[in-house]
Amino acid sequence: MKANASFARPRRPMVERPMVAIMAKAPVCGAVKTRLAGEIGAVPAVALTRALTARLVRELARDTRFRCVLAVSPPSATTARFPAWRAGCVPRTAQRRGDLGARMQAIFNRCGTGPLAIVGTDIPGITREIIADVFRRLRRADAVFGPAEDGGYWLVGLRRRPKILKPFANVRWSSPHALADTLANLDGHRVAFAKTLFDIDTGTDYRRHRRRSA
């Protein structure tokens, strides 16, 4: 062997950037925020959904610290041309069928391999810095939750290593028990929490959001 022969250094494994998945329903009248629409009307409800979704996509999609994907419903909407969805030119994937837990579990199971956080579109307080902090917490925690004021949660993030956890069994969705039920499924795992935010489900929430926006 020649004395000046060089040896290539072993390559470090590629580290996949964290991902945030935004769960979004097609923003058409009668398909989104039906509970809220019963109080404020279908047109204001869908207008709110479009505005919040566009703001969220613009806020998150251009941050280079993480990737962003839209998980859309119904599946046929993956090719729809809604302006609110095109705000950040993010890729789309179809949500699977089932209750909220089944749909979120499917996203965790099939979207990439690194840390992943899921959020909805009806939380006006989400910022890119809050999401970046979630991924910092996931370096040490197995799961991170963003608590909502109503007892649910606006974000769930999983580290997904060494395995993908399954925390959504027997959760009472749309109830004050949703977060507590999910945490019970994670007994023995390291859990951290992000900032508590409020989501817009009722007319009272809507008016609160309008006052803050003003």
Side-chain angles (χ1 to χ4, degrees):
M1 183 178 293
K2 295 182 179 179
N4 63 351
S6 61
F7 296 89
R9 294 181 179 179
R11 293 183 179 180
R12 294 182 178 179
M14 293 293 291
V15 178
E16 189 174 9
R17 270 190 305 162
M19 177 184 292
V20 56
I22 302 172
M23 297 184 73
K25 288 184 179 179
V28 296
C29 282
V32 294
K33 307 303 295 180
T34 53
R35 177 183 173 189
L36 178 63
E39 298 186 51
I40 68 172
V43 173
V46 76
L48 174 70
T49 297
R50 290 170 179 169
L52 290 178
T53 303
R55 187 209 71 83
L56 183 60
V57 171
R58 285 194 301 268
E59 175 71 15
L60 301 184
R62 295 183 176 90
D63 197 301
T64 58
R65 290 171 291 185
F66 45 80
R67 297 171 294 151
C68 191
V69 63
L70 273 174
V72 303
S73 175
S76 59
T78 53
T79 58
R81 299 177 65 83
F82 299 117
W85 289 4
R86 297 165 62 191
C89 299
V90 300
R92 303 177 193 173
T93 185
Q95 292 185 31
R96 298 291 174 89
R97 298 185 183 277
D99 67 6
L100 178 59
R103 287 180 282 132
M104 290 197 295
Q105 190 67 57
I107 293 171
F108 281 120
N109 290 346
R110 62 191 175 90
C111 287
T113 59
L116 187 150
I118 297 175
V119 298
T121 59
D122 56 355
I123 307 93
I126 297 176
T127 67
R128 64 188 67 182
E129 290 305 325
I130 291 176
I131 299 300
D133 180 65
V134 166
F135 291 125
R136 284 192 290 268
R137 293 174 187 271
L138 278 174
R139 294 171 188 169
R140 295 181 176 272
D142 299 311
V144 173
F145 290 89
E149 294 180 358
D150 61 3
Y153 46 94
W154 61 267
L155 172 145
V156 54
L158 296 181
R159 190 176 185 182
R160 299 199 294 178
R161 292 175 181 170
K163 64 178 181 179
I164 300 174
L165 301 178
K166 298 180 179 180
F168 305 119
N170 302 314
V171 174
R172 290 168 284 183
W173 302 111
S174 302
S175 81
H177 310 289
L179 178 56
D181 290 347
T182 310
L183 292 175
N185 292 325
L186 290 171
D187 185 37
H189 294 281
R190 297 167 297 178
V191 177
F193 297 93
K195 186 176 181 178
T196 299
L197 299 176
F198 83 97
D199 52 5
I200 304 176
D201 286 328
T202 67
T204 301
D205 299 331
Y206 176 73
R207 290 184 288 273
R208 177 184 178 184
H209 169 63
R210 298 264 296 182
R211 288 193 299 269
R212 288 192 173 188
S213 299

